[in-house]
Amino acid sequence: MKTSSALLLIPLLLGSCQQSSQSNVSASASDEVISFGKGDTMIVADGNPIIRHEHTGDPAAMVYGGQLFIYAGVDECPAPGQYYLMNRWTVLSTTDMKTFTEYPCPLHASDFKWSKGEAWASQVIERNGKFYWYVTVENNESDPGKCIAVAVSDSPIGPFTDALGKPLIKNSDTAQPRPDMWWDDIDPTVYIDDNGQAYLYWGNSACYWAKLKENMIELDGEIHKTEFRGPSFSYTEAPWIHKNGDWYYLSFAQDFPERIGYAMSRSIEGPWEYKGILNEIPGNSNTNHQAIVEYNGEWYFIYHTGALPDGCGYRRSVCIDRLSYNEDGTMQRIIMTSEGVQ
């Protein structure tokens, strides 16, 4: 792999998606850090984007075992192409927001044998020692269109396997916002509330939600359409749920090209009060997709841009900047930087 002044790549094991017999010496910033197994490549980031040896988009994040994990899709569309080509996801971890370990490929869209592939946006969450990866793939001809599948693993870095053998959410489960719309069931985000109840949010053009059973692979009740209040706006896709204090936050992509807007509520079931724009159009990427997470007492906004020299909306790159709150709980607008987290 290439080495540059902006990004140092240190191969620890064999190349991406290959199995290795060597061991990874895990970072150990504190006694709470847990080593999960074999790594692949150490990335020492110098600003944004944090990953430059490949194109990555639609990031999600999870804090577990003293580490921050980032999950993203890999954009494989060759320049100068202008189309989505995404066959797999990748996972990285960090303890200092500077040095990242990328692990062997944990999951391919083709691992869902019943699907037609396409590794779109996703999120991983832990429950009872299991890690559940909610992903967007293309369903087969039995119910054509995008759908949400679930994979499971005993480790946050995989390997993950299909947990259901079928979609959790398929195209016919929701009423299409527009006639013949086959891509409204995308972009899953999952949150486990303080009382242990798990929720799934998702959707393009309409934002849906449903409760999950404790097994995390079945819906618990009916599908709802999210209720927004306040100023009007055009919801697009990419919902993300997080909580700070007594406030729940639902952020999402709005308009097109996309900006990130957000709403707040005292209940994870809403209603949600729209609060405005959180992040502007990310450079030359027409899509915008975010994860918001607290790690070691700091809040971070993880997103993608098209910032690499050959980048665009189909060759994206994950970036990280800080996120701050106002005294009333609203979030301050994100300042996208080339320096990244300092």
Side-chain angles (χ1 to χ4, degrees), residues 2 13 34 68 76 88 92-93 107 116 147 185 194 216 220 250 263 303 305 311 314 316 324:
K2 295 181 180 179
L13 306 179
I34 300 171
L68 173 66
E76 300 177 80
R88 62 185 176 90
L92 305 92
S93 70
L107 186 64
K116 297 171 68 175
C147 64
D185 295 301
D194 299 337
M216 302 299 283
D220 189 6
L250 172 57
Y303 60 104
T305 69
Y314 305 96
R316 299 160 296 181
S324 299

Side-chain angles (χ1 to χ4, degrees), residues 51-197:
I51 305 168
R52 304 188 188 183
H53 65 287
E54 61 187 355
H55 294 284
T56 51
D58 299 331
M62 177 184 69
V63 175
Y64 186 80
Q67 301 185 60
L68 173 66
F69 292 87
I70 297 175
Y71 301 85
V74 179
D75 285 330
E76 300 177 80
C77 175
Q82 296 284 306
Y83 56 90
Y84 291 116
L85 180 60
M86 305 176 72
N87 295 309
R88 62 185 176 90
W89 295 272
T90 190
V91 56
L92 305 92
S93 70
T94 183
T95 59
D96 60 9
M97 307 303 292
K98 297 286 188 182
T99 304
F100 298 82
T101 300
E102 183 180 25
Y103 297 93
C105 289
L107 186 64
H108 294 74
S110 60
D111 291 332
F112 300 96
K113 304 300 183 184
W114 47 266
S115 80
K116 297 171 68 175
E118 300 189 11
W120 283 24
S122 66
Q123 185 184 343
V124 174
I125 194 168
E126 182 271 340
R127 182 157 210 173
N128 297 329
K130 297 282 188 180
F131 298 86
Y132 297 89
W133 200 335
Y134 298 81
V135 305
T136 307
V137 293
E138 183 77 13
N139 199 5
N140 57 44
E141 295 303 324
S142 66
D143 197 336
K146 295 298 179 191
C147 64
I148 295 172
V150 190
V152 65
S153 176
D154 293 325
S155 165
I157 63 172
F160 285 79
T161 58
D162 186 356
L164 275 174
K166 62 180 181 179
L168 174 63
I169 302 288
K170 57 188 183 298
N171 191 38
S172 61
D173 289 336
T174 56
Q176 281 66 48
R178 300 193 298 272
D180 300 322
M181 186 176 184
W182 48 266
W183 63 93
D184 60 317
D185 295 301
I186 67 171
D187 294 1
T189 183
V190 183
Y191 186 86
I192 300 175
D193 205 1
D194 299 337
N195 63 3
Q197 178 62 60

Side-chain angles (χ1 to χ4, degrees), residues 1 11-24 37-41 53-54 88-91 102-108 157-159:
M1 292 182 180
L12 297 178
L13 306 179
L14 296 177
S16 294
C17 298
Q18 295 179 340
Q19 191 68 34
S20 172
S21 60
Q22 297 180 357
S23 297
N24 174 41
K38 299 174 181 178
D40 184 14
T41 301
H53 65 287
E54 61 187 355
R88 62 185 176 90
W89 295 272
T90 190
V91 56
E102 183 180 25
Y103 297 93
C105 289
L107 186 64
H108 294 74
I157 63 172

